[in-house]
Amino acid sequence: MSKRKQKLQGKYEDWRQIKNFIEKPLERRLKKDQEKLKILTEGDLQSCVYHHLRGCIKDASNWYILNNLSMGKKGKSKKIPDIVILYWRSKAKPEPVFLIELKETIGPLTPKSMSGYKRDIKKLNSLSKKKRKKGKVRGAYLIISALPNYEKARPKMSSTREIKEAIQNIKSSSNIYKMIINTQYFKKNLIDPEFRDRQIPLRKYRG
């Protein structure tokens, strides 16, 4: 049997292939992006995620990738996920199938970063809980890019395991798939001089 990737057919059943891509190849590709300094900010992370998803879906009909889609009721309860993958056939109502929230963490975990994770998990749950029960939303994801703060004399980071364990303590986080992009964590917080010497000026240039 050929191992060549099967092309999406433009049918709702494609969701299985998309889900598999998000949970396997996408993570590997984002790690490579981070190692190559293509992800230095949350905006970079969103660009890279969108780029790879676009490559997965390509020109498959009926599937759409939307950035910052307003969802929920009007007014204060309006919620805006960073990325939504939806399925829509003409004359039918567009249906969000995958919801993605993105976060950047510089340095070790802090109360501020944990607060941001809690807000995003709450948002994802509020938008997907009822739809998951009806089999409409097939996945809700929190993707975190963790990087060292090399502007500090002794930069420290949290390990992928520490981040995941901290998130697991957040209420209702078990419903959310967590992806941690953390290629620059080294035991005992060792420094990668080459990465540091390129990251610092690039982040300063971005402002």
Side-chain angles (χ1 to χ4, degrees):
M1 184 181 292
S2 173
K3 291 184 179 180
R4 187 167 56 183
K5 190 177 80 171
Q6 186 178 353
K7 191 175 181 180
L8 299 185
Q9 302 300 306
K11 299 179 180 179
Y12 180 78
E13 289 72 22
D14 290 336
W15 72 263
R16 292 181 178 85
Q17 280 179 255
I18 298 172
K19 183 179 178 70
N20 181 71
F21 176 83
I22 294 172
E23 295 178 6
K24 293 178 182 177
L26 178 61
E27 183 169 358
R28 292 195 298 268
R29 294 179 188 185
L30 290 175
K31 286 179 178 178
K32 288 182 179 179
D33 288 339
Q34 192 184 68
E35 288 172 344
K36 295 177 181 178
L37 289 105
K38 292 181 180 178
I39 300 177
L40 295 174
T41 66
E42 190 173 310
D44 294 338
L45 177 61
Q46 184 155 349
S47 295
C48 288
V49 171
Y50 183 91
H51 169 75
H52 295 308
L53 290 175
R54 186 77 271 153
C56 169
I57 292 175
K58 294 185 178 177
D59 56 355
S61 58
N62 305 321
W63 287 99
Y64 300 87
I65 307 170
L66 303 180
N67 286 298
N68 304 318
L69 176 67
S70 294
M71 296 178 64
K73 298 177 182 179
K74 295 180 179 180
K76 292 182 179 179
S77 60
K78 206 75 166 173
K79 296 176 176 62
I80 305 176
D82 291 318
I83 295 177
V84 175
I85 303 175
L86 60 81
Y87 184 76
W88 179 44
R89 299 184 69 172
S90 59
K91 297 182 181 180
K93 182 180 178 181
E95 289 291 349
V97 182
F98 298 100
L99 308 175
I100 301 174
E101 276 295 307
L102 308 166
K103 267 288 172 282
E104 171 195 51
T105 295
I106 302 296
L109 285 174
T110 63
K112 184 177 179 180
S113 55
M114 287 302 300
S115 177
Y117 300 161
K118 288 178 183 178
R119 284 195 303 271
D120 283 351
I121 287 171
K122 184 178 179 180
K123 182 197 300 184
L124 289 169
N125 274 311
S126 67
L127 291 173
S128 65
K129 189 174 182 179
K130 290 182 180 179
K131 292 181 181 292
R132 275 201 301 266
K133 289 181 179 178
K134 294 179 180 178
K136 292 182 178 180
V137 168
R138 299 292 181 171
Y141 300 85
L142 175 62
I143 303 178
I144 298 169
S145 172
L147 284 170
N149 184 356
Y150 277 138
E151 292 183 25
K152 292 193 175 183
R154 294 185 177 180
K156 293 184 179 180
M157 293 184 69
S158 298
S159 68
T160 299
R161 181 179 177 180
E162 289 170 334
I163 296 172
K164 283 188 174 180
E165 287 179 349
I167 294 173
Q168 284 170 359
N169 291 326
I170 299 174
K171 185 179 179 181
S172 299
S173 65
S174 59
N175 299 321
I176 309 301
Y177 185 98
K178 281 80 69 176
M179 185 187 303
I180 316 297
I181 311 302
N182 192 17
T183 63
Q184 296 307 302
Y185 174 79
F186 302 98
K187 289 182 179 179
K188 297 182 181 179
N189 285 288
L190 298 176
I191 292 173
D192 179 349
E194 183 179 354
F195 189 93
R196 175 198 60 196
D197 293 345
R198 296 169 67 195
Q199 182 199 20
I200 292 174
L202 281 170
R203 282 188 65 86
K204 283 184 176 179
Y205 183 78
R206 295 183 71 97

